[in-house]
C-alpha cells in the first residue's frame, strides 16, 4: 500500500475526500433519527429517507455522466453548493415545523451529489492506468475506506442526534459533505483529464447499460445490496431476540471489520487475471457465509459468524469495481461506477424492506434466509453471465 501514496497528490486527495465519504454514511441515519425525534413518526422518517434514496438513484448516474463530460471539479463544486442549500432548507423546515411535503422536497433536493467514492476510484484508475496490480490494491484500499466510514458514520450520527439536538447529525453531515467535496475538487493536480467523447455509435461510445456484461454486473450489485440491507435488519432482530438489543451496533461492526481485514489482505495479493472470476468466487462466498447465520443460537456464535461472513464482502466489491473498469469505456467510467453504486443503494433499500417483512413473518434468526437468497441470486448472475464475458474478452 505504501507505493500508492508515493504518487504525488495521492495522499492529499484521499484525505480531502474523507469528510465527504463519512458524511455519505451519516445522511440516511441523520434524517431518520431527526424526523422521528421531532415529528414522532418513524413512518414519515422512513418515507422521507426512501425519497432521498430514490432521488439519489435517479440523479447519481446522470451526475456521473456529467463528470465524464466536463470533469470532476466543474460538476462537484456547483453540486456541493446546491446540496448545502438543500440541507439548510431541511434543517429550517424541521426546526420551524414546516408541512411534511416540504421535507420530501428538501430531501430530494439535497440528494444530487456526484459519488465521491466513484471519483476517488477514477483518480486511482487514471494515476495507475498502466499498472493493473496498483489499481487492484487501490480498489481494495477504497473498499476498506468505505467499510470504515459505514462503521463509524451511522454511530456518529446517532450520538449527535440523541445527545446534542435532533438536527445535529444532519448539520454535521452537511458541513462535512460540503467542505469535503470542495476540498477534494480543489486537488486539481490529480483530477483525471476528460476523455475524448466518441461519436454516437462509435466503438467505446456506448452507455454502460449497453456494454456487454455490464447488466450482469449491475444485477450482482443489486443483489449484493439486497443482501446487505436484509442482513442488517435480520441481525438487529436476532440480537434483540437473544436479549442483547443494545449490542446490535457492535455486532454489525464485526461484519464490517471482517470485510476490512479481508480487503487489506486481498489488496496485498496479486490480482486475478480476470476480475470476473473473483466476482463469481466472492458472490459464492457471500451466499455460503450467510447460511450458518440461520442457525445461530447465541450472541457469541452470531458475532463470530458475522465476522466470517463479512470477509467475502470486500473481495466481491473490489472484483466488481475492477470488472466495471474493464468493461466500461474510459469516457464513461464515472457513469459506469456510479450506476453500479446506484444498483447497490437500490438493493440496500429493497433488502431492508424485505428483511423487515421476513422478521415479522418468520422471526429471527429465520429472517437470515432473505440475505441468503439474495447471495444466491448474486452468485447466479455472476457465474454464467460473467463467465461468458471473460471468454469474450
Amino acid at each position: 500500500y505504501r507505493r500508492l501514496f508515493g504518487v504525488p497528490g495521492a495522499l492529499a486527495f484521499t484525505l480531502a475526500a474523507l469528510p465527504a465519504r463519512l458524511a455519505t454514511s451519516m445522511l440516511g441515519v441523520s434524517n431518520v433519527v431527526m424526523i422521528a425525534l421531532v415529528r414522532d413518526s418513524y413512518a414519515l422518517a422512513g418515507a422521507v429517507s426512501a425519497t432521498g434514496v430514490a432521488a439519489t438513484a435517479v440523479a447519481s448516474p446522470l451526475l456521473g455522466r456529467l463528470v465524464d463530460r466536463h470533469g470532476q471539479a466543474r460538476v462537484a463544486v456547483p453540486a456541493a453548493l446546491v446540496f448545502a442549500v438543500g440541507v439548510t432548507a431541511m434543517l429550517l423546515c424541521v426546526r420551524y415545523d414546516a408541512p411534511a411535503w416540504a421535507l420530501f422536497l428538501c430531501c430530494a433536493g439535497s440528494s444530487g451529489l456526484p459519488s465521491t467514492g466513484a471519483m476517488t476510484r477514477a483518480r486511482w484508475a487514471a494515476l495507475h492506468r498502466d499498472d493493473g496490480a496498483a489499481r487492484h490494491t487501490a480498489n481494495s484500499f477504497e473498499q476498506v475506506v468505505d467499510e470504515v466510514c459505514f462503521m463509524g458514520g451511522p454511530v456518529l450520527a446517532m450520538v449527535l442526534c440523541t445527545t446534542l439536538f435532533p438536527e445535529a447529525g444532519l448539520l454535521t453531515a452537511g458541513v462535512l459533505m460540503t467542505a469535503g467535496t470542495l476540498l477534494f475538487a480543489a486537488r486539481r493536480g490529480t483530477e483525471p483529464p476528460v476523455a475524448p467523447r466518441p461519436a454516437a455509435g462509435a466503438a467505446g461510445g456506448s452507455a454502460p447499460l449497453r456494454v456487454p456484461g455490464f447488466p450482469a454486473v449491475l444485477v450482482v450489485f443489486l443483489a449484493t445490496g439486497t443482501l446487505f440491507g436484509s442482513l442488517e435488519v435480520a441481525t438487529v432482530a436476532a440480537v434483540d431476540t437473544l436479549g442483547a438489543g443494545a449490542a446490535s451496533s457492535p455486532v454489525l461492526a464485526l461484519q464490517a471489520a471482517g470485510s476490512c481485514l479481508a480487503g487489506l489482505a486481498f489488496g496485498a495479493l496479486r490480482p486475478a487475471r480476470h476480475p470476473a472470476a473473483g466476482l463469481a468466487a466472492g458472490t459464492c462466498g457471500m451466499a455460503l457465509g450467510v447460511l450458518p447465520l440461520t442457525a445461530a443460537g447465541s450472541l457469541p456464535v452470531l458475532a463470530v459468524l458475522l465476522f466470517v461472513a463479512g470477509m467475502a464482502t470486500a473481495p466481491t466489491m473490489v472484483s466488481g469495481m475492477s470488472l466495471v473498469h474493464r468493461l466500461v469505456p474510459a469516457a464513461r467510467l464515472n457513469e459506469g461506477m456510479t450506476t453500479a453504486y446506484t444498483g447497490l443503494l437500490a438493493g440496500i433499500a429493497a433488502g431492508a424492506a424485505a428483511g423487515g417483512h421476513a422478521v415479522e413473518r418468520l422471526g429471527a434468526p429465520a429472517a437470515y434466509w432473505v440475505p441468503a437468497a439474495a447471495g444466491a441470486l448474486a452468485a447466479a448472475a455472476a457465474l454464467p453471465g460473467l463467465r461468458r464475458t471473460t471468454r469474450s474478452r
Side-chain angles (χ1 to χ4, degrees):
Y1 287 91
R2 187 184 307 161
R3 65 176 177 160
L4 292 180
F5 299 102
V7 178
L11 181 61
F13 83 72
T14 300
L15 293 177
L18 277 177
R21 300 178 74 169
L22 180 63
T24 300
S25 68
M26 296 173 63
L27 288 172
V29 173
S30 296
N31 276 317
V32 169
V33 177
M34 175 183 67
I35 295 172
L37 290 174
V38 174
R39 298 295 179 94
D40 194 26
S41 172
Y42 276 99
L44 176 61
V48 171
S49 179
T51 299
V53 172
T56 299
V58 173
S60 290
L62 299 178
L63 287 167
R65 183 180 303 175
L66 290 176
V67 168
D68 287 326
R69 289 186 180 182
H70 305 292
Q72 294 181 352
R74 291 183 64 185
V75 176
V77 171
L81 299 178
V82 172
F83 167 83
V85 171
V87 168
T88 302
M90 172 67 88
L91 292 169
L92 292 174
C93 286
V94 171
R95 171 61 62 178
Y96 294 103
D97 199 25
W101 59 263
L103 303 182
F104 288 93
L105 289 180
C106 292
C107 190
S110 61
S111 299
L113 265 177
S115 169
T116 309
M119 291 192 293
T120 57
R121 285 173 169 84
R123 293 199 181 204
W124 289 119
L127 290 174
H128 300 288
R129 61 170 55 88
D130 299 320
D131 188 345
R135 290 198 307 271
H136 168 76
T137 303
N139 281 334
S140 299
F141 171 77
E142 288 295 311
Q143 185 60 36
V144 170
V145 172
D146 281 344
E147 296 288 355
V148 171
C149 288
F150 277 90
M151 281 169 59
V155 175
L156 176 60
M158 180 76 73
V159 170
L160 290 171
C161 290
T162 55
T163 61
L164 296 180
F165 49 92
E167 299 90 347
L170 183 60
L171 176 61
T172 303
V175 171
L176 289 175
M177 178 68 81
T178 304
T181 302
L182 295 177
L183 286 172
F184 176 78
R187 312 306 304 180
R188 300 298 295 271
T190 51
E191 180 177 346
V194 177
R197 189 168 182 80
S206 300
L209 288 175
R210 296 183 179 179
V211 174
F214 187 84
V217 177
L218 188 59
V219 172
V220 172
F221 273 84
L222 179 64
T224 300
T226 304
L227 185 151
F228 294 160
S230 57
L231 183 69
E232 181 173 352
V233 174
T235 298
V236 172
V239 172
D240 187 56
T241 300
L242 294 170
S248 57
S249 292
V251 170
L252 282 168
L254 283 173
Q255 182 209 358
S259 179
C260 286
L261 181 63
L264 289 172
F266 190 67
L269 298 175
R270 189 173 181 178
R273 184 177 178 183
H274 296 294
L279 183 60
T283 53
C284 290
M286 286 196 308
L288 294 174
V290 173
L291 283 175
L293 295 170
T294 60
S298 68
L299 189 62
V301 170
L302 179 65
V304 171
L305 291 176
L306 277 171
F307 180 82
V308 174
M311 297 183 76
T313 300
T316 301
M317 298 299 296
V318 172
S319 299
M321 277 300 166
S322 297
L323 188 56
V324 169
H325 181 267
R326 177 173 293 196
L327 292 173
V328 176
R332 298 270 196 166
L333 184 58
N334 278 283
E335 182 182 356
M337 290 191 293
T338 306
T339 301
Y341 269 121
T342 298
L344 188 71
L345 288 175
I348 289 173
H357 184 73
V359 167
E360 290 186 357
R361 289 292 187 93
L362 305 175
Y368 280 117
W369 284 108
V370 175
L377 175 60
L383 286 169
L386 301 183
R387 192 182 299 121
R388 286 195 297 270
T389 300
T390 301
R391 291 199 205 103
S392 67
R393 297 184 73 82

